Amino acid sequence: MKEKKKIRSSAEEFDLTISDLAKDKYLLRLYITGSTSRSIIALTNLKKICEEYLEGRYELEVIDLYLKPSLAVGDQIIAAPTLIKKLPLPFRRIIGDMSDKDKVLLGLDLKEVKNT
């Protein structure tokens, strides 16, 4: 009986550890369509925001849908550029060229929503 409790607490401890790691690290995936001006603008804007607000705490994966169209299915991409925030949870999706800094910060949970 004690072993069950011990295993359970180890699992809980593991979940807490993973949860703590996920809070610090941002895993982002940006879907673009080739080297169009909109794709380049989105990537440039996103890199600026990440360096300003998440320096050293993010991992950005850029996926060109022209080269890897099958990867869009898993994240249900219907438009590009689209940014997917995989971690920390909750999962978020931001569509556009990332020029609206406030919208991107809200989507990344780096800015609180103001109730007016």
Side-chain angles (χ1 to χ4, degrees):
M1 194 73 166
K2 279 188 172 182
E3 279 189 37
K4 260 190 173 180
K5 190 174 182 180
K6 192 173 189 178
I7 290 170
R8 189 176 182 186
S9 75
S10 293
E12 288 173 351
E13 191 172 305
F14 177 76
D15 286 344
L16 289 173
T17 302
I18 294 297
S19 176
D20 287 344
L21 287 174
K23 286 179 187 173
D24 293 336
K25 189 78 172 183
Y26 277 72
L27 294 180
L28 307 171
R29 184 177 277 179
L30 179 64
Y31 287 93
I32 59 172
T33 50
S35 56
T36 62
S37 60
R38 197 162 159 84
S39 296
I40 293 168
I41 291 169
L43 183 58
T44 303
N45 288 335
L46 182 59
K47 281 184 175 179
K48 281 183 191 173
I49 291 170
C50 288
E51 285 302 313
E52 185 175 345
Y53 293 92
L54 299 171
E55 186 177 356
R57 298 188 302 129
Y58 72 98
E59 188 174 312
L60 174 62
E61 181 181 11
V62 180
I63 297 176
D64 186 342
L65 292 173
Y66 289 150
L67 300 175
K68 299 176 182 176
S70 62
L71 293 179
V73 176
D75 283 330
Q76 300 178 343
I77 303 300
I78 56 171
T82 296
L83 175 66
I84 302 292
K85 180 179 76 114
K86 293 191 163 280
L87 287 175
L89 295 174
F91 176 91
R92 294 280 167 85
R93 177 186 321 264
I94 305 166
I95 298 172
D97 63 8
M98 311 300 144
S99 60
D100 187 342
K101 189 175 176 180
D102 288 338
K103 179 180 161 188
V104 176
L105 292 175
L106 283 172
L108 295 175
D109 295 323
L110 295 171
K111 184 175 182 179
E112 292 183 20
V113 178
K114 292 182 180 174
N115 293 329
T116 56

